[in-house]
Tab-separated table of all heavy atoms in Angstrom:
chain	number	residue	atom	x	y	z
C	145	ASN	N	-20.316	-8.844	2.158
C	145	ASN	CA	-20.552	-9.248	3.547
C	145	ASN	C	-19.475	-10.200	4.039
C	145	ASN	O	-19.266	-10.339	5.230
C	145	ASN	CB	-21.912	-9.958	3.674
C	145	ASN	CG	-23.057	-9.007	3.472
C	145	ASN	OD1	-23.335	-8.169	4.316
C	145	ASN	ND2	-23.705	-9.113	2.330
C	146	ARG	N	-18.824	-10.848	3.083
C	146	ARG	CA	-17.830	-11.849	3.479
C	146	ARG	C	-16.405	-11.358	3.268
C	146	ARG	O	-15.464	-12.121	3.404
C	146	ARG	CB	-18.020	-13.107	2.653
C	146	ARG	CG	-19.413	-13.710	2.790
C	146	ARG	CD	-19.585	-14.781	1.772
C	146	ARG	NE	-20.846	-15.490	1.909
C	146	ARG	CZ	-21.228	-16.463	1.116
C	146	ARG	NH1	-20.435	-16.844	0.131
C	146	ARG	NH2	-22.373	-17.057	1.297
C	147	CYS	N	-16.280	-10.087	2.887
C	147	CYS	CA	-14.956	-9.588	2.542
C	147	CYS	C	-14.186	-9.193	3.791
C	147	CYS	O	-14.747	-8.598	4.708
C	147	CYS	CB	-15.134	-8.374	1.631
C	147	CYS	SG	-13.619	-7.546	1.192
C	148	ILE	N	-12.889	-9.550	3.832
C	148	ILE	CA	-12.076	-9.142	4.985
C	148	ILE	C	-11.072	-8.072	4.600
C	148	ILE	O	-10.137	-7.787	5.334
C	148	ILE	CB	-11.336	-10.346	5.617
C	148	ILE	CG1	-10.440	-11.043	4.583
C	148	ILE	CG2	-12.307	-11.319	6.243
C	148	ILE	CD1	-9.515	-12.082	5.195
C	149	LEU	N	-11.272	-7.461	3.418
C	149	LEU	CA	-10.428	-6.363	2.953
C	149	LEU	C	-8.946	-6.723	2.967
C	149	LEU	O	-8.104	-5.911	3.314
C	149	LEU	CB	-10.675	-5.104	3.804
C	149	LEU	CG	-12.064	-4.499	3.596
C	149	LEU	CD1	-12.292	-3.384	4.601
C	149	LEU	CD2	-12.206	-3.954	2.185
C	150	CYS	N	-8.636	-7.926	2.548
C	150	CYS	CA	-7.241	-8.337	2.486
C	150	CYS	C	-6.564	-7.760	1.258
C	150	CYS	O	-5.348	-7.764	1.150
C	150	CYS	CB	-7.128	-9.854	2.468
C	150	CYS	SG	-7.757	-10.602	0.956
C	151	ARG	N	-7.354	-7.276	0.288
C	151	ARG	CA	-6.885	-6.654	-0.948
C	151	ARG	C	-6.166	-7.622	-1.881
C	151	ARG	O	-5.499	-7.200	-2.827
C	151	ARG	CB	-5.931	-5.488	-0.696
C	151	ARG	CG	-6.273	-4.588	0.427
C	151	ARG	CD	-7.357	-3.602	0.111
C	151	ARG	NE	-7.647	-2.794	1.280
C	151	ARG	CZ	-7.235	-1.558	1.477
C	151	ARG	NH1	-6.527	-0.956	0.552
C	151	ARG	NH2	-7.529	-0.927	2.592
C	152	ARG	N	-6.289	-8.930	-1.645
C	152	ARG	CA	-5.634	-9.864	-2.579
C	152	ARG	C	-6.221	-9.690	-3.975
C	152	ARG	O	-5.502	-9.751	-4.978
C	152	ARG	CB	-5.895	-11.307	-2.131
C	152	ARG	CG	-4.981	-11.831	-1.065
C	152	ARG	CD	-5.136	-13.325	-1.051
C	152	ARG	NE	-4.686	-13.947	0.165
C	152	ARG	CZ	-4.910	-15.220	0.459
C	152	ARG	NH1	-5.611	-15.968	-0.371
C	152	ARG	NH2	-4.453	-15.733	1.563
C	153	CYS	N	-7.544	-9.498	-4.040
C	153	CYS	CA	-8.184	-9.402	-5.355
C	153	CYS	C	-7.648	-8.184	-6.109
C	153	CYS	O	-7.380	-8.246	-7.312
C	153	CYS	CB	-9.685	-9.308	-5.209
C	153	CYS	SG	-10.260	-7.991	-4.136
C	154	ILE	N	-7.450	-7.109	-5.377
C	154	ILE	CA	-6.958	-5.896	-6.019
C	154	ILE	C	-5.534	-6.106	-6.509
C	154	ILE	O	-5.161	-5.692	-7.613
C	154	ILE	CB	-7.018	-4.717	-5.027
C	154	ILE	CG1	-8.472	-4.467	-4.646
C	154	ILE	CG2	-6.374	-3.477	-5.600
C	154	ILE	CD1	-8.648	-3.547	-3.478
C	155	ARG	N	-4.739	-6.771	-5.688
C	155	ARG	CA	-3.355	-7.020	-6.083
C	155	ARG	C	-3.303	-7.992	-7.256
C	155	ARG	O	-2.514	-7.840	-8.177
C	155	ARG	CB	-2.560	-7.581	-4.898
C	155	ARG	CG	-2.172	-6.506	-3.892
C	155	ARG	CD	-1.430	-7.074	-2.714
C	155	ARG	NE	-2.320	-7.708	-1.779
C	155	ARG	CZ	-1.973	-8.707	-0.972
C	155	ARG	NH1	-0.747	-9.177	-0.985
C	155	ARG	NH2	-2.841	-9.215	-0.139
C	156	ALA	N	-4.202	-8.981	-7.244
C	156	ALA	CA	-4.206	-9.942	-8.354
C	156	ALA	C	-4.631	-9.241	-9.643
C	156	ALA	O	-4.053	-9.467	-10.711
C	156	ALA	CB	-5.147	-11.100	-8.047
C	157	CYS	N	-5.638	-8.393	-9.546
C	157	CYS	CA	-6.108	-7.677	-10.740
C	157	CYS	C	-4.991	-6.798	-11.291
C	157	CYS	O	-4.942	-6.520	-12.487
C	157	CYS	CB	-7.337	-6.833	-10.375
C	157	CYS	SG	-8.238	-6.187	-11.785
C	158	ALA	N	-4.100	-6.347	-10.410
C	158	ALA	CA	-2.994	-5.505	-10.864
C	158	ALA	C	-1.790	-6.329	-11.293
C	158	ALA	O	-1.187	-6.060	-12.330
C	158	ALA	CB	-2.582	-4.563	-9.730
C	159	GLU	N	-1.443	-7.348	-10.500
C	159	GLU	CA	-0.178	-8.026	-10.746
C	159	GLU	C	-0.285	-9.270	-11.609
C	159	GLU	O	0.717	-9.735	-12.134
C	159	GLU	CB	0.457	-8.415	-9.404
C	159	GLU	CG	0.811	-7.219	-8.566
C	159	GLU	CD	1.148	-7.600	-7.139
C	159	GLU	OE1	1.603	-8.731	-6.919
C	159	GLU	OE2	0.937	-6.765	-6.244
C	160	MET	N	-1.498	-9.810	-11.726
C	160	MET	CA	-1.603	-11.011	-12.566
C	160	MET	C	-2.093	-10.638	-13.956
C	160	MET	O	-1.466	-10.951	-14.952
C	160	MET	CB	-2.522	-12.043	-11.898
C	160	MET	CG	-1.859	-12.696	-10.704
C	160	MET	SD	-2.944	-13.729	-9.710
C	160	MET	CE	-2.901	-15.254	-10.589
C	161	SER	N	-3.230	-9.914	-14.032
C	161	SER	CA	-3.708	-9.564	-15.358
C	161	SER	C	-3.376	-8.137	-15.757
C	161	SER	O	-3.601	-7.749	-16.890
C	161	SER	CB	-5.223	-9.748	-15.428
C	161	SER	OG	-5.829	-8.800	-14.582
C	162	GLY	N	-2.889	-7.334	-14.827
C	162	GLY	CA	-2.558	-5.958	-15.169
C	162	GLY	C	-3.766	-5.159	-15.605
C	162	GLY	O	-3.645	-4.184	-16.335
C	163	ASN	N	-4.948	-5.561	-15.150
C	163	ASN	CA	-6.136	-4.860	-15.618
C	163	ASN	C	-6.529	-3.679	-14.737
C	163	ASN	O	-7.140	-2.739	-15.205
C	163	ASN	CB	-7.308	-5.850	-15.691
C	163	ASN	CG	-8.236	-5.521	-16.825
C	163	ASN	OD1	-7.802	-5.233	-17.928
C	163	ASN	ND2	-9.509	-5.496	-16.539
C	164	PHE	N	-6.174	-3.721	-13.489
C	164	PHE	CA	-6.417	-2.617	-12.544
C	164	PHE	C	-7.875	-2.209	-12.478
C	164	PHE	O	-8.195	-1.036	-12.337
C	164	PHE	CB	-5.550	-1.398	-12.905
C	164	PHE	CG	-4.083	-1.704	-12.873
C	164	PHE	CD1	-3.404	-2.061	-14.033
C	164	PHE	CD2	-3.382	-1.666	-11.686
C	164	PHE	CE1	-2.057	-2.377	-14.001
C	164	PHE	CE2	-2.024	-1.975	-11.652
C	164	PHE	CZ	-1.368	-2.330	-12.812
C	165	THR	N	-8.792	-3.156	-12.592
C	165	THR	CA	-10.203	-2.809	-12.470
C	165	THR	C	-10.600	-2.641	-11.015
C	165	THR	O	-11.325	-1.729	-10.645
C	165	THR	CB	-11.079	-3.915	-13.088
C	165	THR	OG1	-10.796	-4.000	-14.469
C	165	THR	CG2	-12.548	-3.627	-12.884
C	166	LEU	N	-10.112	-3.552	-10.158
C	166	LEU	CA	-10.540	-3.532	-8.758
C	166	LEU	C	-9.724	-2.540	-7.957
C	166	LEU	O	-8.523	-2.391	-8.151
C	166	LEU	CB	-10.396	-4.929	-8.149
C	166	LEU	CG	-11.357	-5.977	-8.705
C	166	LEU	CD1	-11.010	-7.346	-8.141
C	166	LEU	CD2	-12.790	-5.622	-8.343
C	167	GLY	N	-10.409	-1.885	-7.036
C	167	GLY	CA	-9.741	-0.958	-6.143
C	167	GLY	C	-10.605	-0.820	-4.908
C	167	GLY	O	-11.569	-1.563	-4.736
C	168	VAL	N	-10.277	0.127	-4.040
C	168	VAL	CA	-11.137	0.361	-2.881
C	168	VAL	C	-11.633	1.788	-2.894
C	168	VAL	O	-10.987	2.690	-3.410
C	168	VAL	CB	-10.419	0.128	-1.534
C	168	VAL	CG1	-10.413	-1.326	-1.179
C	168	VAL	CG2	-9.034	0.687	-1.518
C	169	GLU	N	-12.801	1.959	-2.305
C	169	GLU	CA	-13.378	3.285	-2.197
C	169	GLU	C	-13.553	3.580	-0.719
C	169	GLU	O	-13.636	2.658	0.087
C	169	GLU	CB	-14.742	3.304	-2.883
C	169	GLU	CG	-15.133	4.671	-3.400
C	169	GLU	CD	-16.440	4.647	-4.149
C	169	GLU	OE1	-17.452	4.273	-3.548
C	169	GLU	OE2	-16.440	5.001	-5.328
C	170	GLU	N	-13.639	4.865	-0.374
C	170	GLU	CA	-13.778	5.286	1.021
C	170	GLU	C	-12.587	4.821	1.839
C	170	GLU	O	-11.630	4.262	1.314
C	170	GLU	CB	-15.082	4.736	1.628
C	170	GLU	CG	-16.330	5.293	0.990
C	170	GLU	CD	-16.504	6.776	1.208
C	170	GLU	OE1	-16.041	7.284	2.251
C	170	GLU	OE2	-17.090	7.444	0.354
C	171	ARG	N	-12.637	5.070	3.152
C	171	ARG	CA	-11.525	4.669	4.003
C	171	ARG	C	-12.051	4.179	5.342
C	171	ARG	O	-13.241	4.260	5.616
C	171	ARG	CB	-10.552	5.820	4.199
C	171	ARG	CG	-11.169	6.970	4.933
C	171	ARG	CD	-10.142	8.000	5.405
C	171	ARG	NE	-10.848	9.060	6.090
C	171	ARG	CZ	-10.857	10.325	5.728
C	171	ARG	NH1	-10.168	10.720	4.674
C	171	ARG	NH2	-11.528	11.207	6.405
C	172	GLY	N	-11.136	3.664	6.134
C	172	GLY	CA	-11.491	3.194	7.453
C	172	GLY	C	-12.502	2.070	7.375
C	172	GLY	O	-12.444	1.229	6.479
C	173	SER	N	-13.457	2.060	8.287
C	173	SER	CA	-14.409	0.955	8.292
C	173	SER	C	-15.435	1.079	7.185
C	173	SER	O	-16.256	0.199	7.000
C	173	SER	CB	-15.106	0.867	9.648
C	173	SER	OG	-15.643	2.120	9.986
C	174	ALA	N	-15.407	2.175	6.436
C	174	ALA	CA	-16.304	2.313	5.289
C	174	ALA	C	-15.641	1.824	4.016
C	174	ALA	O	-16.239	1.857	2.946
C	174	ALA	CB	-16.708	3.772	5.120
C	175	THR	N	-14.403	1.353	4.117
C	175	THR	CA	-13.696	0.891	2.928
C	175	THR	C	-14.461	-0.232	2.268
C	175	THR	O	-14.987	-1.127	2.924
C	175	THR	CB	-12.304	0.346	3.311
C	175	THR	OG1	-11.639	1.307	4.115
C	175	THR	CG2	-11.471	0.066	2.079
C	176	ILE	N	-14.515	-0.199	0.943
C	176	ILE	CA	-15.222	-1.254	0.228
C	176	ILE	C	-14.539	-1.510	-1.103
C	176	ILE	O	-14.068	-0.588	-1.760
C	176	ILE	CB	-16.704	-0.856	0.057
C	176	ILE	CG1	-17.527	-2.061	-0.377
C	176	ILE	CG2	-16.881	0.282	-0.917
C	176	ILE	CD1	-18.909	-2.031	0.139
C	177	VAL	N	-14.478	-2.791	-1.478
C	177	VAL	CA	-13.855	-3.145	-2.747
C	177	VAL	C	-14.820	-2.783	-3.869
C	177	VAL	O	-15.989	-3.156	-3.839
C	177	VAL	CB	-13.547	-4.663	-2.798
C	177	VAL	CG1	-13.061	-5.060	-4.170
C	177	VAL	CG2	-12.500	-5.011	-1.757
C	178	VAL	N	-14.340	-2.039	-4.838
C	178	VAL	CA	-15.198	-1.626	-5.952
C	178	VAL	C	-14.502	-1.880	-7.276
C	178	VAL	O	-13.285	-2.062	-7.346
C	178	VAL	CB	-15.560	-0.122	-5.870
C	178	VAL	CG1	-16.421	0.162	-4.673
C	178	VAL	CG2	-14.320	0.732	-5.883
C	179	ALA	N	-15.316	-1.881	-8.331
C	179	ALA	CA	-14.769	-1.995	-9.683
C	179	ALA	C	-14.757	-0.601	-10.285
C	179	ALA	O	-15.746	0.123	-10.188
C	179	ALA	CB	-15.642	-2.927	-10.518
C	180	ASP	N	-13.654	-0.224	-10.889
C	180	ASP	CA	-13.501	1.107	-11.494
C	180	ASP	C	-13.931	2.174	-10.491
C	180	ASP	O	-13.477	2.192	-9.359
C	180	ASP	CB	-14.328	1.204	-12.781
C	180	ASP	CG	-13.816	0.231	-13.841
C	180	ASP	OD1	-12.604	-0.060	-13.832
C	180	ASP	OD2	-14.617	-0.245	-14.654
C	181	THR	N	-14.805	3.078	-10.895
C	181	THR	CA	-15.240	4.150	-9.988
C	181	THR	C	-16.548	3.751	-9.337
C	181	THR	O	-17.493	4.533	-9.282
C	181	THR	CB	-15.427	5.456	-10.772
C	181	THR	OG1	-16.252	5.164	-11.914
C	181	THR	CG2	-14.115	6.012	-11.239
C	182	ASN	N	-16.590	2.510	-8.842
C	182	ASN	CA	-17.792	1.968	-8.190
C	182	ASN	C	-18.947	1.795	-9.175
C	182	ASN	O	-20.018	2.394	-9.031
C	182	ASN	CB	-18.224	2.830	-7.003
C	182	ASN	CG	-19.135	2.062	-6.075
C	182	ASN	OD1	-19.508	0.921	-6.353
C	182	ASN	ND2	-19.492	2.668	-4.969
C	183	VAL	N	-18.696	0.988	-10.198
C	183	VAL	CA	-19.753	0.579	-11.123
C	183	VAL	C	-19.953	-0.917	-10.911
C	183	VAL	O	-19.058	-1.595	-10.418
C	183	VAL	CB	-19.374	0.870	-12.587
C	183	VAL	CG1	-19.168	2.344	-12.799
C	183	VAL	CG2	-18.159	0.087	-13.007
C	184	PRO	N	-21.133	-1.436	-11.278
C	184	PRO	CA	-21.318	-2.888	-11.148
C	184	PRO	C	-20.252	-3.626	-11.955
C	184	PRO	O	-19.885	-3.214	-13.057
C	184	PRO	CB	-22.706	-3.119	-11.742
C	184	PRO	CG	-23.397	-1.809	-11.652
C	184	PRO	CD	-22.330	-0.772	-11.783
C	185	LEU	N	-19.765	-4.730	-11.408
C	185	LEU	CA	-18.702	-5.489	-12.064
C	185	LEU	C	-19.052	-5.838	-13.505
C	185	LEU	O	-18.206	-5.812	-14.391
C	185	LEU	CB	-18.441	-6.795	-11.291
C	185	LEU	CG	-17.391	-6.709	-10.214
C	185	LEU	CD1	-17.499	-7.892	-9.286
C	185	LEU	CD2	-15.999	-6.644	-10.828
C	186	GLY	N	-20.314	-6.165	-13.718
C	186	GLY	CA	-20.730	-6.575	-15.057
C	186	GLY	C	-20.657	-5.449	-16.077
C	186	GLY	O	-20.695	-5.698	-17.279
C	187	GLN	N	-20.541	-4.212	-15.601
C	187	GLN	CA	-20.454	-3.088	-16.540
C	187	GLN	C	-19.086	-2.411	-16.467
C	187	GLN	O	-18.917	-1.311	-16.957
C	187	GLN	CB	-21.514	-2.034	-16.202
C	187	GLN	CG	-22.926	-2.533	-16.427
C	187	GLN	CD	-23.920	-1.759	-15.593
C	187	GLN	OE1	-23.674	-0.599	-15.265
C	187	GLN	NE2	-25.019	-2.379	-15.245
C	188	SER	N	-18.152	-3.076	-15.844
C	188	SER	CA	-16.856	-2.427	-15.614
C	188	SER	C	-15.850	-2.840	-16.672
C	188	SER	O	-16.171	-3.547	-17.627
C	188	SER	CB	-16.344	-2.857	-14.246
C	188	SER	OG	-15.998	-4.228	-14.302
C	189	THR	N	-14.609	-2.410	-16.451
C	189	THR	CA	-13.540	-2.748	-17.387
C	189	THR	C	-12.987	-4.149	-17.123
C	189	THR	O	-11.968	-4.529	-17.678
C	189	THR	CB	-12.383	-1.744	-17.251
C	189	THR	OG1	-11.949	-1.766	-15.885
C	189	THR	CG2	-12.813	-0.359	-17.642
C	190	CYS	N	-13.662	-4.899	-16.275
C	190	CYS	CA	-13.221	-6.253	-15.964
C	190	CYS	C	-13.140	-7.108	-17.222
C	190	CYS	O	-14.034	-7.061	-18.061
C	190	CYS	CB	-14.205	-6.892	-14.985
C	190	CYS	SG	-13.936	-8.634	-14.705
C	191	VAL	N	-12.030	-7.879	-17.355
C	191	VAL	CA	-11.891	-8.730	-18.539
C	191	VAL	C	-12.158	-10.198	-18.192
C	191	VAL	O	-11.852	-11.088	-18.967
C	191	VAL	CB	-10.484	-8.589	-19.171
C	191	VAL	CG1	-10.288	-7.211	-19.721
C	191	VAL	CG2	-9.407	-8.956	-18.187
C	192	SER	N	-12.715	-10.436	-17.013
C	192	SER	CA	-13.110	-11.785	-16.600
C	192	SER	C	-11.955	-12.762	-16.581
C	192	SER	O	-12.120	-13.929	-16.913
C	192	SER	CB	-14.210	-12.344	-17.517
C	192	SER	OG	-15.256	-11.439	-17.661
C	193	CYS	N	-10.791	-12.318	-16.170
C	193	CYS	CA	-9.679	-13.263	-16.107
C	193	CYS	C	-9.832	-14.188	-14.906
C	193	CYS	O	-9.273	-15.267	-14.877
C	193	CYS	CB	-8.346	-12.530	-16.022
C	193	CYS	SG	-8.052	-11.749	-14.425
C	194	GLY	N	-10.591	-13.746	-13.914
C	194	GLY	CA	-10.851	-14.590	-12.742
C	194	GLY	C	-9.719	-14.681	-11.743
C	194	GLY	O	-9.781	-15.489	-10.820
C	195	SER	N	-8.690	-13.849	-11.898
C	195	SER	CA	-7.579	-13.910	-10.939
C	195	SER	C	-8.064	-13.591	-9.541
C	195	SER	O	-7.628	-14.199	-8.562
C	195	SER	CB	-6.485	-12.914	-11.319
C	195	SER	OG	-6.080	-13.087	-12.647
C	196	CYS	N	-8.992	-12.651	-9.448
C	196	CYS	CA	-9.487	-12.239	-8.134
C	196	CYS	C	-10.185	-13.401	-7.445
C	196	CYS	O	-9.981	-13.637	-6.248
C	196	CYS	CB	-10.433	-11.056	-8.266
C	196	CYS	SG	-11.820	-11.318	-9.396
Side-chain angles (χ1 to χ4, degrees):
Chain C
N145 291 288
R146 302 170 175 179
C147 176
I148 58 170
L149 292 172
C150 68
R151 320 282 178 102
R152 277 196 199 170
C153 54
I154 297 168
R155 283 178 282 152
C157 193
E159 296 167 27
M160 287 171 84
S161 67
N163 214 44
F164 300 95
T165 297
L166 292 174
V168 277
E169 207 176 60
E170 295 295 330
R171 64 168 180 241
S173 52
T175 309
I176 194 148
V177 173
V178 294
D180 296 330
T181 50
N182 199 356
V183 299
L185 269 164
Q187 294 157 27
S188 69
T189 57
C190 171
V191 294
S192 310
C193 72
S195 307
C196 55

